[in-house]
Amino acid sequence: MTTRRTFLRQALTAGVGLIAAPTIVPASVFGKNAPSNRINVGAIGTGRISRDHDMPEVLKYDYARIIGVSDLDANRLADGKKFVEDYYAKKTGSPYSGVKTYSDYRDLLADRDIDAVIVSTPDHWHAKIAIDAAQAGKHIYLQKPTSLTIEEGRKMSNAVNASGKILQIGSQQRSMEQFRVACELVRNGRIGQLKEIEIRLPGDPPGGSTEEMPVPKNFNYEMWLGQTPYVYYTVDRVHPQSGYDRPGWLRCEQFGAGMITGWGAHHFDIAHWAMDTEYSGPIEIAGKAEFPAKGSGLWDVHGYYETEMLYANGVIVRGTTESAEKPNGLLFTGTDGWIFVSRGDYAASANEPISTKSQALQASDKKLLSPLTDNDPVRLYVSAEHHGNWLECILSGKKNITPAEVAHRSCTVCLLQHIAMKLDRRLYWDPITEKFKNDDEANSMISRPHRPPYQF
């Protein structure tokens, strides 16, 4: 049986002879890092979040190299190749052209030289590609949310855990100091007994053109739709054909649940961290939301929303749309005060959909934010940078900061709220069986049919 270390060594050794060739990154890119400590990475999806966030964060580590890119849009595929090659050319001061391109991600996964992949595709492809990557023996950095449905997320977590590979979900707030500090303070009782968490997310307005358009010749739209039902092409349903502005698919329920998973996967993950419920979930969920009226455009994800969840520990977690009075972030309220945490001025991309910014860490009394002492026994996982933590754990074999099961549970809590929004009534959830109690209608929404040939 091939171990992780043996596989990595074999894959990297296979590439040693290529390093000297003109089309492969010269050794000067990697400094003192020996070939046995290098990680060959493939990028699946080369759009906005990949260019603004995922590829740049991996490229800055000398012991990792991006050797392949994959995209269903030929223009974006060429741009992705150029993006990486321009980086290495600038770093070395010499022309460089060594990045392989794949129009089908399955061909990239079949490349034995690739040890790990960063998956930056639309949401509806996340779980499927992660499962395929794990079964192909690749480590995975997966953009959040983990899945389109709760059932898909369960299958993804099971497949990754069975493979022994490392999956890091893109909940980079775990690697931002203020979020870790806030969670440590809450778990050490700085605000007394935790009673309530309020989570504020951006909203999405309706809109989008419904005009049917011819599919661009450079784009494999049929495969892009994947498991979801076939619908006609229009640019506002997919991504811009010029530039890398925020894509329309983010606002179509066919491909995701909207901001409740898009931003919620970040904030509700932090709530779980603060409550020590990373492997569990709520037991009651209620929610309501405003959805676009018919005729208001193509985009149909929720706008303003309110949710309320009860956890077995007695904590109530509320969700709502951010506003000037309630800026984006998490408000922890206890018997002895409150702590508020947000990203501050940080943005993962140039088109971050956030309307209100605030200080990174605040409290009802500044004394609540004083450094931890020996009387504060809880210390949480410290990660200086999220992609770096993933890469380091691939080499060391240590557990990473946001593994597959944690990622699945964080996505699940968001999808539970979305189901409650749709049904507009209180639901009762069993986080052990991952089923609703005595509610066939709600349980029918845990999964969706998959369009052939893109079944799991």
Side-chain angles (χ1 to χ4, degrees):
M1 180 177 178
T2 301
T3 65
R4 183 199 66 80
R5 291 181 182 276
T6 303
F7 171 81
L8 183 59
R9 190 181 306 114
Q10 289 173 343
L12 293 172
T13 302
V16 171
L18 299 173
I19 293 173
T23 57
I24 297 300
V25 184
S28 58
V29 170
F30 305 105
K32 299 179 180 179
N33 292 289
S36 60
N37 290 326
R38 294 177 194 157
I39 304 168
N40 290 338
V41 179
I44 301 175
T46 59
R48 176 186 66 121
I49 197 66
S50 181
R51 295 172 62 88
D52 287 359
H53 184 58
D54 288 329
M55 288 196 292
E57 292 299 322
V58 170
L59 285 168
K60 70 184 184 183
Y61 292 95
D62 285 348
Y63 58 89
R65 58 177 178 177
I66 297 177
I67 68 169
V69 293
S70 175
D71 203 284
L72 294 173
D73 186 319
N75 293 342
R76 290 189 164 204
L77 182 60
D79 281 356
K81 174 181 171 68
K82 184 177 185 300
F83 183 91
V84 177
E85 292 178 344
D86 285 352
Y87 174 88
Y88 288 132
K90 182 177 180 181
K91 187 174 180 67
T92 62
S94 302
Y96 172 71
S97 58
V99 176
K100 293 177 278 188
T101 58
Y102 305 86
S103 59
D104 189 321
Y105 79 90
R106 292 169 295 188
D107 294 328
L108 183 149
L109 293 181
D111 188 335
R112 297 175 69 89
D113 290 336
I114 292 176
D115 310 308
V117 294
I118 43 179
V119 182
S120 313
T121 66
D123 296 359
H124 64 291
W125 267 105
H126 286 180
K128 169 67 171 167
I129 295 177
I131 290 170
D132 290 347
Q135 293 175 346
K138 314 298 185 186
H139 300 284
I140 307 139
Y141 187 100
L142 179 65
Q143 261 303 324
K144 52 76 207 166
T146 56
S147 60
L148 193 62
T149 67
I150 294 172
E151 181 185 67
E152 291 176 10
R154 169 47 56 210
K155 290 181 178 180
M156 181 282 298
S157 182
N158 289 350
V160 171
N161 289 328
S163 75
K165 297 302 172 182
I166 292 175
L167 181 143
Q168 180 92 302
I169 194 67
S171 298
Q172 70 268 18
Q173 290 180 171
R174 286 261 182 151
S175 297
M176 298 173 71
E177 184 178 19
Q178 70 267 33
F179 288 98
R180 173 177 53 79
V181 168
C183 291
E184 287 179 329
L185 293 172
V186 170
R187 284 176 65 162
N188 280 295
R190 284 294 181 89
I191 57 174
Q193 183 181 356
L194 179 63
K195 291 292 188 180
E196 183 176 303
I197 306 174
E198 184 174 76
I199 294 174
R200 301 138 178 195
L201 309 177
D204 259 324
S209 173
T210 58
E211 176 189 1
E212 184 171 358
M213 300 178 179
V215 177
K217 293 181 180 179
N218 55 283
F219 183 43
N220 185 348
Y221 177 61
E222 205 286 328
M223 187 173 182
W224 184 91
L225 286 171
Q227 53 153 299
T228 71
Y230 186 86
V231 287
Y232 66 81
Y233 173 85
T234 184
V235 69
D236 281 354
R237 197 192 304 278
V238 189
H239 58 251
Q241 279 296 300
S242 177
Y244 289 88
D245 287 340
R246 189 166 181 249
W249 64 260
L250 282 164
R251 288 161 277 188
C252 296
E253 281 200 336
Q254 179 166 343
F255 314 116
M259 284 297 185
I260 193 63
T261 53
W263 259 87
H266 289 297
H267 285 351
F268 287 98
D269 174 62
I270 297 300
H272 279 184
W273 207 18
M275 290 191 291
D276 193 16
T277 57
E278 298 167 90
Y279 294 91
S280 182
I283 56 175
E284 295 183 22
I285 312 101
K288 59 181 180 180
E290 296 175 358
F291 290 91
K294 290 185 178 180
S296 60
L298 181 72
W299 301 327
D300 57 359
V301 296
H302 73 89
Y304 181 84
Y305 86 102
E306 289 183 358
T307 59
E308 178 183 291
M309 295 180 291
L310 174 66
Y311 281 71
N313 59 11
V315 177
I316 293 175
V317 179
R318 303 184 192 278
T320 190
T321 305
E322 67 180 47
S323 65
E325 294 75 27
K326 293 186 173 185
N328 186 299
L330 297 94
L331 176 66
F332 300 97
T333 302
T335 53
D336 298 333
W338 57 262
I339 289 174
F340 177 79
V341 62
S342 78
R343 291 189 181 183
D345 293 330
Y346 168 85
S349 73
N351 299 297
E352 197 80 79
I354 177 172
S355 58
T356 57
K357 296 183 182 294
S358 61
Q359 294 180 30
L361 194 59
Q362 303 174 63
S364 53
D365 187 332
K366 290 183 178 180
K367 293 180 181 179
L368 296 176
L369 303 180
S370 59
L372 297 175
T373 69
D374 291 341
N375 294 323
D376 300 307
V378 178
R379 297 292 191 277
L380 299 177
Y381 194 127
V382 178
S383 164
E385 198 281 315
H386 213 57
H387 295 78
N389 173 258
W390 173 59
L391 295 169
E392 290 165 6
C393 290
I394 290 173
L395 291 179
S396 69
K398 295 180 180 178
K399 186 176 181 179
N400 57 307
I401 193 169
T402 52
E405 183 64 18
V406 169
H408 166 59
R409 295 291 181 163
S410 296
C411 183
T412 294
V413 67
C414 300
L415 292 170
L416 290 173
Q417 291 171 88
H418 189 249
I419 293 171
M421 291 178 196
K422 288 290 186 177
L423 297 179
D424 195 20
R425 55 183 167 80
R426 185 166 291 274
L427 305 172
Y428 300 88
W429 177 250
D430 185 337
I432 296 176
T433 63
E434 295 183 269
K435 298 288 184 183
F436 292 100
K437 297 179 180 179
N438 303 315
D439 198 323
D440 291 342
E441 183 180 19
N443 280 322
S444 71
M445 301 170 75
I446 291 173
S447 63
R448 295 191 198 181
H450 289 174
R451 183 172 69 99
Y454 305 104
Q455 305 97 316
F456 280 36

